[in-house]
Structure formats: structure tokens, C-alpha cells
Amino acid sequence: MAGKLGGAVISLFAVLVTSFFLFRIIPGDPVRAMTHGRPTSPEQLATMRRQFGLDLPLWQQFTDYCGKALTGDLGTSYQFHAPVGELIAQKVPATLLLTGVAVVIYSALGLWLGTRSAWHRGGLGDRIGTGVALTLWSVPSFWLGLLLIIVFAVGIGPVPGMFPTGGMQSGDATGAGQVLDVAHHMVLPVLTLVAVGYAQTLLVMRSSLLDEMGGDYLTTARAKGLRDAVVRRRHAVPNALLPTVTMVFINLGHVAAGSILVETVFSWPGLGGLFYQALSVPDLPLVQGLFLVFAGAMIVMNLIADLLYPLLDPRVGR
């Protein structure tokens, strides 16, 4: 456990370093972008660079950034003129709502369908399910989102537009009306995330279970007279869960990151849309803070999955 925790800390520090230098190579001048093309004198530009610390040597900017990040200070956004931590906290609920619902749905759906598909491999349901999953897994999420907007939001042919094209709410409703309004706006983005996510989960679970189905312990379980459903549920599935557990926890890490492309396509007011806005400037403190949060969530979820392995399969801890 100490080794895994140490590895997670090292990974987080590597992310800290990467998030600083990676976004320094993005083309564009943040100071000029903040002026939005307005006439600005060289003296004014120099003053703004000094105000944001962009006139300092790169090594000094890096040490200042690391020192503040270790104390929880992610800096101040260039374009919003507000602390990065506050901006992230404001957007977290919307992202958790959208991606959290999607992850729960497609994880449960993918595990169930993947198990059924592997257990009845070669059948009509397996061939259809695998073909659909392979197709959806290959489809870019933003393209699928745009397609759903065209068909179900704008309307095409006999299909009328039934859902909003974007946003999280369309009015000032309160109570039950607000809940229904938000749910109505969530349908298409959640459907986009579920379609791609369930396909990945199904294929991984199916492949993992197929590897276990030739095991001698399953033959022994059947020889003891156990029903097929019991053999699958109590013996085969638990041993096939390890790769899927890793993927599920990585997907839970994505809950913090949201889906940048899907949130942008549907104008969802979450962390993904905020990251896109920050990247377009580039708003370096905001981009770095969001990148650190996204990567940190992935590292933590992967660590939890590693620690759960011995509980699912005692052989891992030996």
C-alpha cells in the first residue's frame, strides 16, 4: 500500500510539472488575447505581463506555481479575474450531475450485456451486441452528439425536435419543474456518453470473461451440480472483474473531468466547457488548474482500484 501511495504522489508531481510546461508551448499570447484586439500600447502590455507574472524567468514562474499549488492556491484566471479554485468549484456540480449519471448507467449496462454476450458467445445476441458495441466505440463522441442534435433537437424528416440543443436549463422554474427541465436537457448529452461508454465496458467485460470460461474451476463447479447461472454469478464473473474494475474506476475519474467535447457540443456549463474556454485564450492558470484536477482524479481512482484488487482476487496480493 505504501508503494502504491508513493507511486500516486510521484504521478501527481509529474502531472504538476507537465501541466506547467505543456501549456506554455500553446501558440498565442495570453495578454494580447485578453485585450480582444483593442489598441494597446507596449507599455500597457508590459504592465499586464508584470501583473500576471509573465515577465519573470520561466524557472521562477515554475517554482512560484508549485509553491502555490501545494498550498491549494491555483492562481487567478486571466479572463475571469477570479480565483481558479472558485471557478472550478462553481462548475463541479454540473459536471458531476451529467457524467456521474452517465457513468452509472453505462457501467451497469456494459457489465450486464458484456456478461450475457460472453456467456452466450457465438449466438445472435452476441454477434449483434458486439457489432453495435464496436461501431459505437469507434464513433467520436462529439460527432455522435452533433448527430443526435440534428435528429432529436432540430428535427429531421418525420422526427420532430423533442429536446433542447444545449444548456442546462431553459427557464426560471423551481422545485419539481426545475428538476424536469434539467432532466430534459440532460437526455441527449447523457445518451451520447452512455452510447460510447457502454460499448467500451461491454467489450472489456466480454473479453475478460471469455478468458475465464476455460478455467478448470468452472468445470469443477459444474461437476458439483451447480446451476449455470450460479456458476456464472459466483465463480466466473468475480474472477473476470479485475480489468473491468480498473476501467470503471478510470471512468469514475472522468466524472471529475467530464467530457470536454460533449460538454462543448451541448453547451453544458461544466468543467469541460470551462476547460475549452480557458484553452482558447489561453488562460494559463485556469488551464493548469483544470488539468491538475482532471489528472488528480484519475490518479486517485486508479489508486483505489489497485487497492481493491486483493479484495476481489486474493491471488493479486500474494
Side-chain angles (χ1 to χ4, degrees), residues 155-170:
I156 183 172
V159 181
M162 297 177 287
F163 301 100
T165 56
M168 187 174 177
Q169 298 183 67
S170 57

Side-chain angles (χ1 to χ4, degrees), residues 104-128:
V104 170
I105 293 175
Y106 71 63
S107 296
L109 188 63
L111 287 172
W112 181 69
L113 290 177
T115 300
R116 304 290 298 183
S117 182
W119 206 251
H120 302 286
R121 64 190 185 281
L124 179 61
D126 176 38
R127 292 197 300 270
I128 294 176

Side-chain angles (χ1 to χ4, degrees), residues 3 12 15 17-18 36 41 58 62 68-69 79 88 114 131 136 138 171 182 223 255 259 270:
L12 196 57
V15 168
V17 175
T18 304
H36 300 289
S41 67
L58 193 61
F62 175 66
K68 292 180 179 179
Q79 57 181 325
I88 292 175
L136 290 175
S138 305
V182 173
V255 171
S259 178

Side-chain angles (χ1 to χ4, degrees), residues 1-308:
M1 184 178 295
K4 293 182 185 299
L5 289 172
V9 171
I10 293 173
S11 298
L12 196 57
F13 178 74
V15 168
L16 191 68
V17 175
T18 304
S19 67
F20 179 83
F21 289 103
L22 177 64
F23 299 110
R24 289 302 190 281
I25 64 176
I26 297 176
D29 186 346
V31 173
R32 288 194 176 277
M34 283 185 284
T35 62
H36 300 289
R38 295 188 297 268
T40 309
S41 67
E43 292 77 13
Q44 290 174 314
L45 292 175
T47 301
M48 293 180 68
R49 288 193 176 90
R50 187 166 54 255
Q51 177 186 353
F52 293 112
L54 296 174
D55 62 327
L56 298 174
L58 193 61
W59 67 267
Q60 189 172 348
Q61 293 183 44
F62 175 66
T63 55
D64 290 346
Y65 167 67
C66 289
K68 292 180 179 179
L70 291 175
T71 61
D73 182 4
L74 299 177
T76 302
S77 168
Y78 294 163
Q79 57 181 325
F80 297 107
H81 305 287
V84 170
E86 292 183 6
L87 293 172
I88 292 175
Q90 292 171 4
K91 300 294 185 180
V92 163
T95 290
L96 291 182
L97 177 63
L98 177 66
T99 56
V101 170
V103 167
V104 170
I105 293 175
Y106 71 63
S107 296
L109 188 63
L111 287 172
W112 181 69
L113 290 177
T115 300
R116 304 290 298 183
S117 182
W119 206 251
H120 302 286
R121 64 190 185 281
L124 179 61
D126 176 38
R127 292 197 300 270
I128 294 176
T130 304
V132 172
L134 285 170
T135 302
L136 290 175
W137 197 7
S138 305
V139 170
S141 59
F142 72 89
W143 182 85
L144 181 60
L146 290 172
L147 187 64
L148 292 177
I149 289 176
I150 293 172
V151 176
F152 296 108
V154 177
I156 183 172
V159 181
M162 297 177 287
F163 301 100
T165 56
M168 187 174 177
Q169 298 183 67
S170 57
D172 299 325
T174 58
Q178 183 181 16
V179 173
L180 292 175
D181 187 27
V182 173
H184 191 218
H185 282 76
M186 286 178 60
V187 172
L188 293 185
V190 166
L191 183 59
T192 303
L193 293 172
V194 167
V196 177
Y198 110 87
Q200 180 186 18
T201 309
L202 182 151
L203 293 172
V204 172
M205 185 62 192
R206 179 183 183 276
S207 176
S208 180
L209 186 55
L210 286 176
D211 289 340
E212 295 291 333
M213 287 178 62
D216 293 337
Y217 67 96
L218 296 184
T219 303
T220 302
R222 291 190 180 96
K224 292 166 61 178
L226 296 179
R227 290 183 292 111
D228 196 57
V230 175
V231 173
R232 181 182 70 241
R233 185 175 65 252
R234 293 185 181 178
H235 297 278
V237 171
N239 286 293
L241 276 177
L242 293 187
T244 313
V245 164
T246 301
M247 189 185 60
V248 168
F249 273 90
I250 289 176
N251 290 336
L252 288 175
H254 286 155
V255 171
S259 178
I260 297 173
L261 294 176
V262 172
E263 287 193 9
T264 302
V265 167
F266 288 97
S267 302
W268 189 263
L271 294 177
L274 184 64
F275 186 80
Y276 177 80
Q277 286 180 281
L279 200 58
S280 62
V281 172
D283 188 339
L284 295 179
L286 186 53
V287 169
Q288 290 167 179
L290 286 166
F291 185 80
L292 186 61
V293 170
F294 296 165
M298 297 290 293
I299 291 171
V300 170
M301 289 298 115
N302 196 40
L303 174 63
I304 294 175
D306 283 343
L307 296 178
L308 283 177

